[in-house]
């Protein structure tokens, strides 16, 4: 088994995160759940996506899943970074672990704690930015759409 290639941070530290945040805002503008994600390799944006559960009627179309779908097949994900505006749920965490994505940068984990400890326990490097814009966007969404949010997190 060969060693994984080192993960190169993006050329602009926030380029991947800003793509994820823009995707979250786009999802919100479409009447969906404001969670965005972006996949970056070697400082280059491969793809971004947002939660499309409402828009597409797809129960597994979370932000991370949408970004991975948009990136298409990759021979390996071991040199990528996943940026997401909210801590990943169990399903998205499982996908990150399955594809051996070595680093996840999270906008915030205050409104939803996600599965950050599971990621860390599987060797994934996790950085939480605690971005106030993400906290405000999710807090407002949860307050204004409690039933839709409960559906998204299977409560």
């Amino acid at each position: 088994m060969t060693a994984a290639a080192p993960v190169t941070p993006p050329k602009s530290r926030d380029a991947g995160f800003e793509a994820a945040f823009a995707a979250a805002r786009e999802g919100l503008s479409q009447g969906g759940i404001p969670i965005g994600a972006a996949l970056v390799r070697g400082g280059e944006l491969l793809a971004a996506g947002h939660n499309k559960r409402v828009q597409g009627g797809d129960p597994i179309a979370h932000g991370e899943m949408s970004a991975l779908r948009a990136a298409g097949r990759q021979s390996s994900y071991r040199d990528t970074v996943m940026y997401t505006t909210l801590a990943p749920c169990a399903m998205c965490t499982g996908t990150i672990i399955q594809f051996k994505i070595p680093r996840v940068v999270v906008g915030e984990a205050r409104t939803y704690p996600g599965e950050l400890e599971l990621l860390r326990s599987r060797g994934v490097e996790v950085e939480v930015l605690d971005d106030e814009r993400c906290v405000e966007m999710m807090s407002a969404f949860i307050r204004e759409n409690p039933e839709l949010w409960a559906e998204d997190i299977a409560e």
Side-chain angles (χ1 to χ4, degrees):
M1 180 172 204
T2 60
V7 176
T8 306
K11 292 175 185 170
S12 165
R13 176 160 158 54
D14 294 331
F17 178 70
E18 291 305 321
F21 186 74
R25 283 194 324 236
E26 179 182 343
L28 182 62
S29 75
Q30 297 171 354
I33 299 163
I35 303 168
L39 190 65
V40 171
R41 172 181 283 128
E44 299 297 323
L45 179 67
L46 293 176
H50 59 80
N51 186 302
K52 296 178 181 175
R53 291 185 77 249
V54 173
Q55 300 92 315
D58 182 346
I60 63 169
H62 285 197
E64 297 89 342
M65 300 300 203
S66 294
L68 286 165
R69 281 187 181 124
R73 286 179 57 197
Q74 304 290 314
S75 61
S76 175
Y77 298 87
R78 293 174 190 228
D79 60 347
T80 63
V81 178
M82 175 66 76
Y83 290 84
T84 182
T85 58
L86 186 65
C89 70
M91 177 179 66
C92 295
T93 292
T95 301
I96 290 164
I97 292 167
Q98 174 68 29
F99 289 118
K100 298 176 177 56
I101 296 171
R103 184 165 186 255
V104 177
V105 178
V106 176
E108 67 102 351
R110 280 194 250 166
T111 61
Y112 180 73
E115 297 291 340
L116 301 182
E117 290 312 312
L118 177 56
L119 285 169
R120 289 180 178 121
S121 77
R122 296 298 296 267
V124 177
E125 177 188 346
V126 176
E127 179 182 359
V128 180
L129 301 176
D130 201 30
D131 185 273
E132 199 59 45
R133 299 171 302 165
C134 292
V135 174
E136 290 172 11
M137 184 168 48
M138 280 309 301
S139 295
F141 179 82
I142 293 168
R143 187 172 50 253
E144 295 166 11
N145 302 279
E147 290 94 15
L148 186 55
W149 176 239
E151 175 189 323
D152 192 63
I153 59 172
E155 291 278 319

